[in-house]
Short mmCIF file of all heavy atoms in Angstrom, two decimals:
data_model
loop_
_atom_site.label_atom_id
_atom_site.label_comp_id
_atom_site.label_asym_id
_atom_site.label_seq_id
_atom_site.Cartn_x
_atom_site.Cartn_y
_atom_site.Cartn_z
N ASP A 888 111.36 98.47 92.71
CA ASP A 888 110.74 98.84 93.98
C ASP A 888 111.78 99.56 94.84
O ASP A 888 112.78 98.97 95.25
CB ASP A 888 110.23 97.59 94.71
CG ASP A 888 109.49 97.92 96.01
OD1 ASP A 888 109.11 99.10 96.19
OD2 ASP A 888 109.28 97.00 96.82
N ASN A 889 111.54 100.87 95.09
CA ASN A 889 112.49 101.69 95.86
C ASN A 889 113.90 101.61 95.29
O ASN A 889 114.89 101.52 96.03
CB ASN A 889 112.49 101.25 97.33
CG ASN A 889 111.17 101.52 98.02
OD1 ASN A 889 110.51 102.53 97.75
ND2 ASN A 889 110.76 100.63 98.91
N GLY A 890 113.97 101.64 93.97
CA GLY A 890 115.27 101.64 93.31
C GLY A 890 115.90 100.28 93.15
O GLY A 890 116.99 100.16 92.57
N VAL A 891 115.25 99.23 93.67
CA VAL A 891 115.79 97.87 93.57
C VAL A 891 115.07 97.13 92.45
O VAL A 891 113.84 97.04 92.44
CB VAL A 891 115.63 97.10 94.90
CG1 VAL A 891 116.16 95.67 94.76
CG2 VAL A 891 116.36 97.83 96.02
N ARG A 892 115.82 96.61 91.50
CA ARG A 892 115.25 95.90 90.36
C ARG A 892 114.95 94.45 90.74
O ARG A 892 115.80 93.77 91.33
CB ARG A 892 116.20 95.94 89.17
CG ARG A 892 115.78 95.04 88.01
CD ARG A 892 116.61 95.30 86.79
NE ARG A 892 116.45 94.24 85.80
CZ ARG A 892 116.62 94.41 84.50
NH1 ARG A 892 116.95 95.59 84.03
NH2 ARG A 892 116.47 93.40 83.67
N GLU A 893 113.75 93.98 90.40
CA GLU A 893 113.37 92.59 90.62
C GLU A 893 112.96 91.98 89.29
O GLU A 893 112.01 92.42 88.65
CB GLU A 893 112.21 92.48 91.61
CG GLU A 893 111.79 91.05 91.88
CD GLU A 893 110.62 90.94 92.84
OE1 GLU A 893 110.18 91.97 93.37
OE2 GLU A 893 110.14 89.80 93.06
N ASP A 894 113.72 90.98 88.86
CA ASP A 894 113.42 90.31 87.60
C ASP A 894 112.29 89.32 87.79
O ASP A 894 112.19 88.66 88.82
CB ASP A 894 114.66 89.58 87.07
CG ASP A 894 115.75 90.55 86.64
OD1 ASP A 894 115.42 91.50 85.92
OD2 ASP A 894 116.91 90.36 87.03
N SER A 895 111.44 89.21 86.78
CA SER A 895 110.32 88.28 86.84
C SER A 895 110.09 87.69 85.45
O SER A 895 110.82 88.01 84.50
CB SER A 895 109.07 88.99 87.36
OG SER A 895 108.07 88.04 87.70
N GLU A 896 109.08 86.86 85.36
CA GLU A 896 108.83 86.16 84.11
C GLU A 896 107.36 85.78 84.03
O GLU A 896 106.75 85.39 85.03
CB GLU A 896 109.70 84.90 84.04
CG GLU A 896 109.50 84.06 82.79
CD GLU A 896 110.31 82.78 82.83
OE1 GLU A 896 110.72 82.38 83.94
OE2 GLU A 896 110.52 82.18 81.77
N CYS A 897 106.80 85.91 82.85
CA CYS A 897 105.46 85.41 82.57
C CYS A 897 105.62 84.07 81.87
O CYS A 897 106.18 84.00 80.77
CB CYS A 897 104.70 86.41 81.68
SG CYS A 897 103.06 85.85 81.16
N ASP A 898 105.16 82.99 82.51
CA ASP A 898 105.34 81.66 81.91
C ASP A 898 104.68 81.59 80.54
O ASP A 898 105.30 81.15 79.56
CB ASP A 898 104.75 80.58 82.83
CG ASP A 898 105.60 80.34 84.05
OD1 ASP A 898 106.79 80.72 84.04
OD2 ASP A 898 105.08 79.79 85.04
N PHE A 899 103.41 82.01 80.47
CA PHE A 899 102.69 81.99 79.19
C PHE A 899 101.82 83.24 79.10
O PHE A 899 101.12 83.60 80.06
CB PHE A 899 101.79 80.75 79.07
CG PHE A 899 102.55 79.48 78.86
CD1 PHE A 899 103.02 78.75 79.95
CD2 PHE A 899 102.82 79.01 77.58
CE1 PHE A 899 103.73 77.58 79.77
CE2 PHE A 899 103.53 77.83 77.40
CZ PHE A 899 104.00 77.12 78.49
N LEU A 900 101.88 83.90 77.96
CA LEU A 900 100.98 85.00 77.65
C LEU A 900 100.13 84.55 76.47
O LEU A 900 100.65 84.27 75.38
CB LEU A 900 101.74 86.28 77.33
CG LEU A 900 100.91 87.56 77.22
CD1 LEU A 900 101.75 88.79 77.59
CD2 LEU A 900 100.31 87.75 75.83
N ILE A 901 98.82 84.46 76.69
CA ILE A 901 97.89 83.95 75.67
C ILE A 901 97.07 85.12 75.13
O ILE A 901 96.39 85.81 75.89
CB ILE A 901 96.96 82.88 76.26
CG1 ILE A 901 97.78 81.70 76.79
CG2 ILE A 901 95.95 82.40 75.22
CD1 ILE A 901 96.94 80.65 77.52
N PHE A 902 97.15 85.34 73.82
CA PHE A 902 96.45 86.47 73.19
C PHE A 902 95.41 85.95 72.21
O PHE A 902 95.68 85.08 71.38
CB PHE A 902 97.45 87.36 72.45
CG PHE A 902 96.81 88.48 71.67
CD1 PHE A 902 96.26 89.57 72.32
CD2 PHE A 902 96.75 88.43 70.28
CE1 PHE A 902 95.66 90.61 71.61
CE2 PHE A 902 96.16 89.46 69.55
CZ PHE A 902 95.61 90.54 70.23
N ASN A 903 94.19 86.48 72.33
CA ASN A 903 93.09 86.16 71.41
C ASN A 903 92.44 87.47 70.98
O ASN A 903 91.97 88.23 71.83
CB ASN A 903 92.07 85.26 72.11
CG ASN A 903 90.93 84.84 71.18
OD1 ASN A 903 90.47 85.61 70.34
ND2 ASN A 903 90.46 83.61 71.32
N PRO A 904 92.40 87.79 69.68
CA PRO A 904 91.86 89.07 69.22
C PRO A 904 90.39 89.29 69.54
O PRO A 904 89.92 90.42 69.55
CB PRO A 904 92.10 89.04 67.71
CG PRO A 904 92.22 87.59 67.36
CD PRO A 904 92.88 86.97 68.55
N ASP A 905 89.65 88.20 69.80
CA ASP A 905 88.24 88.34 70.16
C ASP A 905 88.07 88.78 71.61
O ASP A 905 86.96 89.19 72.00
CB ASP A 905 87.49 87.02 69.95
CG ASP A 905 87.36 86.67 68.48
OD1 ASP A 905 87.52 87.57 67.65
OD2 ASP A 905 87.12 85.49 68.18
N TYR A 906 89.13 88.69 72.39
CA TYR A 906 89.05 89.05 73.81
C TYR A 906 90.17 90.01 74.21
O TYR A 906 89.96 91.18 74.45
CB TYR A 906 89.10 87.79 74.68
CG TYR A 906 87.92 86.87 74.51
CD1 TYR A 906 88.00 85.75 73.68
CD2 TYR A 906 86.73 87.13 75.17
CE1 TYR A 906 86.91 84.90 73.53
CE2 TYR A 906 85.63 86.27 75.03
CZ TYR A 906 85.74 85.16 74.20
OH TYR A 906 84.65 84.33 74.05
N GLY A 907 91.37 89.49 74.31
CA GLY A 907 92.50 90.26 74.79
C GLY A 907 93.62 89.32 75.16
O GLY A 907 93.99 88.44 74.38
N PHE A 908 94.15 89.43 76.39
CA PHE A 908 95.26 88.56 76.76
C PHE A 908 95.11 88.06 78.20
O PHE A 908 94.48 88.69 79.04
CB PHE A 908 96.61 89.27 76.60
CG PHE A 908 96.92 90.31 77.66
CD1 PHE A 908 97.64 89.97 78.81
CD2 PHE A 908 96.51 91.62 77.52
CE1 PHE A 908 97.93 90.91 79.78
CE2 PHE A 908 96.80 92.58 78.49
CZ PHE A 908 97.51 92.22 79.63
N LEU A 909 95.73 86.89 78.43
CA LEU A 909 95.83 86.28 79.75
C LEU A 909 97.29 85.99 80.05
O LEU A 909 98.03 85.53 79.18
CB LEU A 909 95.06 84.96 79.82
CG LEU A 909 93.56 84.96 79.54
CD1 LEU A 909 93.05 83.51 79.52
CD2 LEU A 909 92.82 85.78 80.58
N CYS A 910 97.71 86.24 81.28
CA CYS A 910 99.02 85.81 81.75
C CYS A 910 98.82 84.58 82.63
O CYS A 910 98.02 84.62 83.57
CB CYS A 910 99.71 86.92 82.53
SG CYS A 910 100.27 88.30 81.49
N VAL A 911 99.53 83.51 82.32
CA VAL A 911 99.33 82.23 83.01
C VAL A 911 100.62 81.80 83.69
O VAL A 911 101.67 81.70 83.04
CB VAL A 911 98.85 81.14 82.04
CG1 VAL A 911 98.62 79.83 82.79
CG2 VAL A 911 97.59 81.58 81.30
N GLU A 912 100.54 81.55 84.97
CA GLU A 912 101.64 80.99 85.74
C GLU A 912 101.42 79.48 85.84
O GLU A 912 100.33 79.03 86.20
CB GLU A 912 101.69 81.62 87.13
CG GLU A 912 102.78 81.11 88.02
CD GLU A 912 104.16 81.57 87.61
OE1 GLU A 912 104.27 82.50 86.78
OE2 GLU A 912 105.14 80.98 88.10
N VAL A 913 102.44 78.69 85.50
CA VAL A 913 102.32 77.23 85.51
C VAL A 913 103.11 76.67 86.69
O VAL A 913 104.27 77.01 86.89
CB VAL A 913 102.84 76.63 84.19
CG1 VAL A 913 102.81 75.11 84.25
CG2 VAL A 913 101.99 77.13 83.02
N LYS A 914 102.45 75.80 87.47
CA LYS A 914 103.10 75.15 88.59
C LYS A 914 103.01 73.63 88.42
O LYS A 914 101.95 73.10 88.14
CB LYS A 914 102.45 75.56 89.91
CG LYS A 914 102.69 77.02 90.28
CD LYS A 914 104.18 77.33 90.40
CE LYS A 914 104.43 78.79 90.72
NZ LYS A 914 105.88 79.12 90.66
N GLY A 915 104.15 72.98 88.62
CA GLY A 915 104.20 71.53 88.47
C GLY A 915 104.07 70.82 89.80
O GLY A 915 103.29 71.22 90.67
N GLY A 916 104.86 69.78 89.99
CA GLY A 916 104.80 69.00 91.22
C GLY A 916 103.59 68.09 91.27
O GLY A 916 102.94 67.80 90.26
N THR A 917 103.27 67.67 92.47
CA THR A 917 102.14 66.77 92.67
C THR A 917 101.04 67.39 93.52
O THR A 917 100.02 66.77 93.76
CB THR A 917 102.62 65.47 93.35
OG1 THR A 917 103.24 65.80 94.61
CG2 THR A 917 103.63 64.75 92.47
N GLY A 918 101.28 68.61 93.99
CA GLY A 918 100.26 69.27 94.81
C GLY A 918 100.73 70.64 95.28
O GLY A 918 101.88 71.05 95.04
N MET A 919 99.84 71.32 95.96
CA MET A 919 100.11 72.66 96.47
C MET A 919 99.42 72.81 97.82
O MET A 919 98.28 72.36 98.00
CB MET A 919 99.58 73.71 95.49
CG MET A 919 100.03 75.13 95.78
SD MET A 919 101.75 75.44 95.35
CE MET A 919 101.67 75.29 93.56
N ARG A 920 100.10 73.42 98.77
CA ARG A 920 99.44 73.70 100.04
C ARG A 920 99.85 75.08 100.53
O ARG A 920 100.90 75.63 100.13
CB ARG A 920 99.77 72.64 101.07
CG ARG A 920 101.16 72.71 101.68
CD ARG A 920 101.37 71.66 102.74
NE ARG A 920 102.66 71.83 103.43
CZ ARG A 920 102.83 72.57 104.51
NH1 ARG A 920 101.79 73.24 105.04
NH2 ARG A 920 104.01 72.69 105.08
N VAL A 921 99.04 75.65 101.41
CA VAL A 921 99.29 76.98 101.96
C VAL A 921 99.20 76.90 103.48
O VAL A 921 98.25 76.32 104.02
CB VAL A 921 98.28 78.01 101.43
CG1 VAL A 921 98.55 79.39 102.01
CG2 VAL A 921 98.31 78.06 99.89
N GLU A 922 100.19 77.46 104.16
CA GLU A 922 100.20 77.48 105.62
C GLU A 922 100.63 78.87 106.08
O GLU A 922 101.71 79.35 105.70
CB GLU A 922 101.17 76.42 106.16
CG GLU A 922 101.21 76.36 107.69
CD GLU A 922 102.15 75.28 108.19
OE1 GLU A 922 102.42 74.32 107.44
OE2 GLU A 922 102.61 75.41 109.33
N ASP A 923 99.77 79.52 106.87
CA ASP A 923 100.04 80.86 107.37
C ASP A 923 100.37 81.83 106.24
O ASP A 923 101.27 82.68 106.36
CB ASP A 923 101.18 80.85 108.39
CG ASP A 923 100.84 80.03 109.64
OD1 ASP A 923 99.64 79.99 109.99
OD2 ASP A 923 101.76 79.44 110.22
N GLY A 924 99.66 81.70 105.14
CA GLY A 924 99.86 82.59 104.01
C GLY A 924 101.04 82.26 103.13
O GLY A 924 101.29 82.95 102.14
N VAL A 925 101.80 81.23 103.48
CA VAL A 925 102.97 80.83 102.70
C VAL A 925 102.61 79.65 101.81
O VAL A 925 102.03 78.66 102.28
CB VAL A 925 104.15 80.46 103.62
CG1 VAL A 925 105.36 80.03 102.79
CG2 VAL A 925 104.50 81.64 104.52
N TRP A 926 102.99 79.75 100.52
CA TRP A 926 102.66 78.70 99.55
C TRP A 926 103.82 77.72 99.44
O TRP A 926 104.99 78.12 99.39
CB TRP A 926 102.39 79.33 98.17
CG TRP A 926 101.07 80.04 98.09
CD1 TRP A 926 100.73 81.19 98.71
CD2 TRP A 926 99.93 79.62 97.33
NE1 TRP A 926 99.44 81.54 98.41
CE2 TRP A 926 98.92 80.59 97.55
CE3 TRP A 926 99.65 78.55 96.49
CZ2 TRP A 926 97.67 80.50 96.96
CZ3 TRP A 926 98.41 78.45 95.89
CH2 TRP A 926 97.43 79.42 96.13
#
């Protein structure tokens, strides 16, 4: 982005020839909340 490299990762990529692929992000912990757009 604007010459700045940002490394990322796909936790799981699931491929099925009858459909295609899904990228899945896995989150642990005991819960999730959002406040003012912040997770």
